[in-house]
Amino acid sequence: MPDTAATANAPTVEDALALGLTREEYDLACRFQGGPPNQVELAMYSLLWSEHCAYKHSKKLLKTLPTEGPHVVMGPGENAGAVDVGGGLVCAFKVESHNHPSAVEPFQGAATGVGGILRDIFAIGARPIAVLDSLRFGEPAQGDDRGERFRGRVGQTKESGPGLGGGVEAGEEDPKRGDAARAYARARYLLDGAVRGIAHYGNSIGVPTVGGEVYFEEPYTHNCLVNAMALGLAPRERLIRSAAAGPGNVVVLFGASTGRDGIGGASVLASAELDAGGDDAKRPTVQVGDPFEESKLLECSLELLDRGLIVSLQDLGAAGLTSSAAEMASGGGVGIDLDVALVPLREPNMAPFEIMVSESQERMLCVVEPGRLDAVLALCAKWEIGGSAIGTVTDSGRIRVFDGSELVGDMPVAALVDECPLYDLSPARPSEPIYPAPVATLARDAPARETLLALLSSPNIASRRPLFEHYDAIVQSRTVRRPEETDAAVLAIGRGSDASPAGEEEAGPAGGVRARANADAADRDVVGGPVPALAVSIDCNGRRVAADPYNGTVEAVLECAANLACVGAEPLGTTNNLNFGNPEKPHIAWQLTESVRGLGDACRALGAPIVGGNVSLYNETPSGPIYPTPVIGMVGSLPDARHAGRLGFARPGDTIALVGPFAPSLDASELSKLWGCALPEGLPAIDVAAVRSAQFAVRGAVRVGGLSSAHDIAEGGLAIALTECCLASGLGADVRLDALAGAGGDGDGDLFRVLFGEGPGGFLVSGIATGVRALGRRTQVRVIGTVGGEGLRIAAGGVNLSATLSELADAHTSLRELFP
């Protein structure tokens, strides 16, 4: 215990409670310290023992997940996971959340979420090559005033400047508009800021945003979700771990200077429920990002690795210096001494505890042998970023914090990291519904044609083009398929590529050849040979998980794998972001437990192990919890980018077939939401083996060019999938579903189940008849129609549904009004 004046006035248990610790946790910290912790020590315990850093309500569950496989090079426990992609290269990837910061200040919250996930990638030595995002917001409109609201009364924020709609500042509310209008204003404010924040950071740093997803549901109104996924490439020999090593080695902090932004982000903000308001009070806990500073930090980090100048590397994210130093020390079984007086500051008179817990962005910590310190600092100067030796590695097993010559903190590393209390959950299936039924927006007796158009224009199905047009999807020239061309993003690796920076050909510190294939080049076969590629997908339907946490999570994993199959990619590994409410409540604990069980079972069945991920809990407000949202990200490989599949029909006259064990149901479907149906108590059981066989068959057929198009059936069911294939190509289709409709004997109910029912395992493919029918050797194939014409025509159960491509396109572009 430091013998300082501050110790005499040690913080009390009430101070600990204010920082998010429990009374029992405070008592435990006192035992580890031999007395009450001082201000620095209490701040560090509160952060490292927070839910956000310690995973204290989920770590035991996470240990049940599969983490090993033939392609896994680096699994959970590092900044990112990595899988072998051949040619001496690895792909690093991870998904993380920035939910509560984005709910408080959406622009900076989302922007720094992108910055943080990119640092996780280059912290292990990989050059980031792509970003994807998974977003959840409240309903963009409700009821009859939908058109008025879509025209955008809200969208001007005091903090972030002009918004999407313009006109009203975020804090302004007209009491006459009522609760629904205020909820809409909140949803628009969060949507506006988050989309611009993602675009600002990704576009500025030069990493393409190649895919993602967005859902609009009432439970996300006040607690939006902003999950960002990134992936990168590296030579296998350049990978580096974070564990500190070598007593006597120097600890160097480099990158941006340290300020007061983000203080308390991991404990006060990210590890507690959001209240109904209070954004202004919490805004200082949100970090501020600078993508241009991070660009320099990235290049400096990779050059340090290429030149072999550092022993270990760690980014500074949640809890700042506290977590990075403690986790590096724990990983290496060593101690670390730090001197906060040596930390470059951008604000005067910062207290030692502020320096230790600041979450200022664009900073890295590395361990350096003393003889190489000058070279490391010279390289920092070359890239015009700050660099300072702030400590040393010791053999003490303790984190000691000095302020010049004064010892202001002294803690056992094991107490901070390894001895954090972990909690057993008390799961209990809820005895009554958790979520209210949605507001009905479509009459149950609406005819099939009207239902199709209503689904096409619903926010969860409408084209995302107005959103992703904010993002640069092709910078770095790796993007083989742009958004809405395929079910999964496809990125060329290139022959011998090691992820060298844009503009670097054949030479440079990393050597190798930059990926040169883009969509047009690949299709013209100008590269001269196979172009190895990666495919990546991110997905989760929270409403279906809310209906059945186990099967809904299995479906999310299968959906990601299906997306990869449609472009011809084989899964290599999986990452996840588990977004849930308060785990101390039995019904949330049940959701989390069942979801993790489903995640493990599905990943084992597909041979796609978990290589890393993130947990975000306490996502709820006084109005209730979010839908349980276990976002799944999956990376796969395909041998030749030139054969990457497309979802749009390709040629008039091609045969259209329904492939796989598709057994649609209206339970928890998008149509059931439009009808205002409450969530069911469960989803139909899934034959995972049969679904996997269908994915294998489709993947193989795409790889050999046996199919002209492939698209999995997801939200909105078969009729929506058919429409999307038509709109992606500008080609119509004639389809007959008489053999499917009527099989259930339920008249119109069965017709709507066939047209709009949802469930895993179904693919819509097209191609020459012999190629399509050849799939029948591995999975179920039902020929249902032919490509051609100026519109979509479906005959089913005595009902003829038809619409022109223009009518379908008009309905599908309804989100355009959100993004003028």
Side-chain angles (χ1 to χ4, degrees):
M1 174 72 65
D3 185 14
T4 66
T7 305
N9 299 304
T12 65
V13 64
E14 284 74 22
D15 296 313
L17 294 174
L19 291 175
L21 294 174
T22 66
R23 292 182 183 274
E24 294 76 15
E25 289 169 347
Y26 176 74
D27 291 341
L28 181 60
C30 290
R31 290 199 294 272
F32 281 131
Q33 290 301 116
N38 66 21
Q39 185 180 42
V40 171
E41 294 160 348
L42 181 62
M44 295 176 68
Y45 273 108
S46 74
L47 287 167
L48 289 177
W49 286 10
S50 69
E51 187 67 48
H52 189 72
C53 292
Y55 291 6
K56 55 190 178 184
H57 285 95
S58 60
K59 185 171 286 187
K60 292 183 178 180
L61 285 176
L62 299 180
K63 291 180 180 179
T64 67
L65 296 174
T67 59
E68 297 181 354
H71 303 289
V72 176
V73 176
M74 188 177 285
E78 290 296 333
N79 288 286
V83 293
D84 193 320
V85 296
L89 297 178
V90 299
C91 174
F93 62 101
K94 189 181 182 182
V95 61
E96 279 202 346
S97 63
H98 232 218
N99 300 334
H100 286 185
S102 299
V104 171
E105 209 302 296
F107 180 89
Q108 290 295 350
T112 52
V114 174
I117 195 64
L118 291 175
R119 285 197 303 280
D120 283 336
I121 299 303
F122 66 79
I124 70 168
R127 177 175 295 280
I129 62 169
V131 169
L132 299 91
D133 52 75
S134 177
L135 310 175
R136 302 293 186 279
F137 301 100
E139 296 285 358
Q142 295 265 357
D144 294 336
D145 57 349
R146 176 182 176 207
E148 178 184 354
R149 295 188 192 173
F150 262 36
R151 283 187 283 275
R153 291 183 174 181
V154 177
Q156 176 86 9
T157 73
K158 294 179 179 179
E159 295 77 25
S160 304
L164 297 177
V168 179
E169 293 188 341
E172 297 181 9
E173 296 179 351
D174 178 359
K176 296 180 180 180
R177 295 172 65 191
D179 291 341
R182 285 191 289 273
Y184 166 70
R186 175 70 174 173
R188 279 295 305 273
Y189 166 57
L190 296 178
L191 173 64
D192 173 15
V195 169
R196 290 186 300 106
I198 293 167
H200 165 70
Y201 212 102
N203 294 353
S204 298
I205 200 172
V207 178
T209 301
V210 298
E213 52 158 13
V214 59
Y215 286 83
F216 301 92
E217 304 279 4
E218 189 277 333
Y220 304 111
T221 297
H222 297 286
N223 196 139
C224 63
L225 300 185
V226 175
N227 290 189
M229 179 178 177
L231 59 159
L233 288 173
R236 185 163 181 163
E237 65 272 13
R238 193 168 69 189
L239 288 184
I240 189 169
R241 296 185 181 271
S242 60
N249 283 342
V250 182
V251 178
V252 174
L253 175 66
F254 65 103
S257 56
T258 298
R260 289 189 170 92
D261 50 318
I263 290 178
S267 56
V268 177
L269 180 61
S271 299
E273 294 181 21
L274 291 171
D275 54 31
D279 286 3
D280 289 339
K282 292 178 178 176
R283 193 162 283 116
T285 64
V286 180
Q287 310 95 326
V288 177
D290 182 348
F292 304 104
E293 186 73 17
E294 178 136 322
S295 180
K296 296 186 294 181
L297 185 67
L298 184 161
E299 299 300 341
C300 182
S301 298
L302 295 187
E303 188 169 348
L304 285 170
L305 292 171
D306 286 334
R307 293 174 57 180
L309 293 177
I310 58 179
V311 175
S312 57
L313 183 63
Q314 171 74 38
D315 85 298
L316 273 72
L321 268 175
T322 290
S323 64
S324 58
E327 291 170 4
M328 292 179 83
S330 174
V334 296
I336 288 180
D337 287 353
L338 297 175
D339 185 353
V340 295
L342 300 176
V343 174
L345 304 179
R346 65 169 176 259
E347 296 185 47
N349 303 317
M350 289 185 66
F353 88 90
E354 292 180 307
I355 297 171
M356 286 303 300
V357 305
S358 168
E359 296 181 6
S360 293
Q361 296 290 284
E362 291 87 40
R363 299 181 299 161
M364 305 290 284
L365 202 65
C366 67
V367 173
V368 182
E369 294 176 358
R372 293 179 173 176
L373 177 60
D374 289 343
V376 168
L377 296 180
L379 195 57
C380 291
K382 168 191 169 181
W383 286 105
E384 299 181 346
I385 61 173
S388 178
I390 66 167
T392 57
V393 177
T394 72
D395 59 5
S396 67
R398 303 183 73 82
I399 296 289
R400 298 199 304 170
V401 181
F402 292 85
D403 186 4
S405 61
E406 181 183 4
L407 180 65
V408 296
D410 185 354
M411 297 139 286
V413 171
L416 287 170
V417 180
D418 306 305
E419 301 298 328
C420 170
L422 302 180
Y423 298 105
D424 292 314
L425 300 179
S426 300
R429 185 172 187 142
S431 58
E432 57 185 34
I434 301 173
Y435 308 97
V439 175
T441 58
L442 179 70
R444 288 179 181 246
D445 59 357
R449 184 179 187 277
E450 181 181 339
T451 299
L452 172 63
L453 295 177
L455 279 169
L456 275 175
S457 65
S458 66
N460 288 340
I461 291 179
S463 170
R464 270 67 181 131
R465 180 176 295 275
L467 185 151
F468 65 66
E469 283 178 343
H470 286 73
Y471 310 141
D472 189 336
I474 60 173
V475 64
Q476 295 192 18
S477 300
R478 294 184 183 276
T479 308
V480 177
R481 295 287 186 262
R482 301 189 186 195
E484 288 198 347
E485 290 183 343
T486 56
D487 287 355
V490 180
L491 299 158
I493 299 175
R495 296 162 296 172
S497 168
D498 67 357
S500 55
E504 182 175 73
E505 300 280 351
E506 303 291 347
V513 181
R514 175 172 171 259
R516 296 184 284 274
N518 57 26
D520 295 334
D523 288 341
R524 291 196 305 266
D525 192 17
V526 300
V527 178
V531 181
L534 296 171
V536 57
S537 177
I538 190 167
D539 217 288
C540 179
N541 186 321
R543 187 176 350 103
R544 296 183 70 81
V545 180
D548 188 329
Y550 177 84
N551 282 316
T553 303
V554 172
E555 285 188 8
V557 177
L558 294 176
E559 170 71 12
C560 271
N563 292 337
L564 298 188
C566 286
V567 299
E570 175 187 7
L572 300 176
T574 306
T575 183
N576 65 90
N577 202 123
L578 304 178
N579 304 275
F580 287 80
N582 185 342
E584 300 170 55
K585 299 177 180 179
H587 58 282
I588 302 297
W590 174 76
Q591 290 178 337
L592 178 60
T593 301
E594 285 295 284
S595 179
V596 172
R597 184 169 70 91
L599 174 61
D601 286 351
C603 288
R604 275 184 285 268
L606 294 178
I610 300 293
V611 302
N614 183 62
V615 179
S616 175
L617 303 179
Y618 298 96
N619 288 290
E620 58 182 284
T621 66
S623 62
I626 62 164
Y627 282 153
T629 313
V631 169
I632 308 300
M634 191 175 291
V635 169
S637 65
L638 57 158
D640 194 347
R642 299 169 303 170
H643 294 158
R646 294 179 182 270
L647 70 87
F649 295 136
R651 294 183 301 267
D654 272 355
T655 294
I656 302 171
L658 173 61
V659 173
F662 184 53
S665 167
L666 290 174
D667 291 342
S669 65
E670 188 67 20
L671 179 55
S672 73
K673 177 187 175 182
L674 299 191
W675 282 347
C677 299
L679 290 175
E681 296 183 3
L683 295 173
I686 304 168
D687 186 343
V688 176
V691 174
R692 181 181 180 179
S693 293
Q695 293 178 357
F696 184 87
V698 170
R699 178 170 70 240
V702 171
R703 284 186 169 191
V704 300
L707 298 175
S708 302
S709 70
H711 183 30
D712 83 304
I713 301 172
E715 285 82 13
L718 178 57
I720 293 297
L722 283 163
T723 302
E724 290 168 342
C725 292
C726 290
L727 293 178
S729 62
L731 294 172
D734 276 308
V735 174
R736 298 198 66 86
L737 303 177
D738 294 321
L740 303 177
D746 189 25
D748 287 346
D750 189 63
L751 169 67
F752 277 60
R753 178 188 62 80
V754 170
L755 289 174
F756 309 116
E758 300 174 18
F763 294 87
L764 193 65
V765 306
S766 70
I768 61 173
T770 54
V772 169
R773 294 182 186 278
L775 289 170
R777 292 193 291 267
R778 293 188 176 275
T779 188
Q780 187 175 3
V781 175
R782 289 164 281 188
V783 173
I784 61 173
T786 305
V787 175
E790 299 299 320
L792 175 63
R793 296 161 299 280
I794 301 175
V799 173
N800 292 308
L801 184 162
S802 66
T804 67
L805 293 179
S806 177
E807 290 172 324
L808 298 173
D810 286 345
H812 204 222
T813 57
S814 62
L815 289 187
R816 178 64 66 185
E817 296 177 75
L818 285 176
F819 301 91

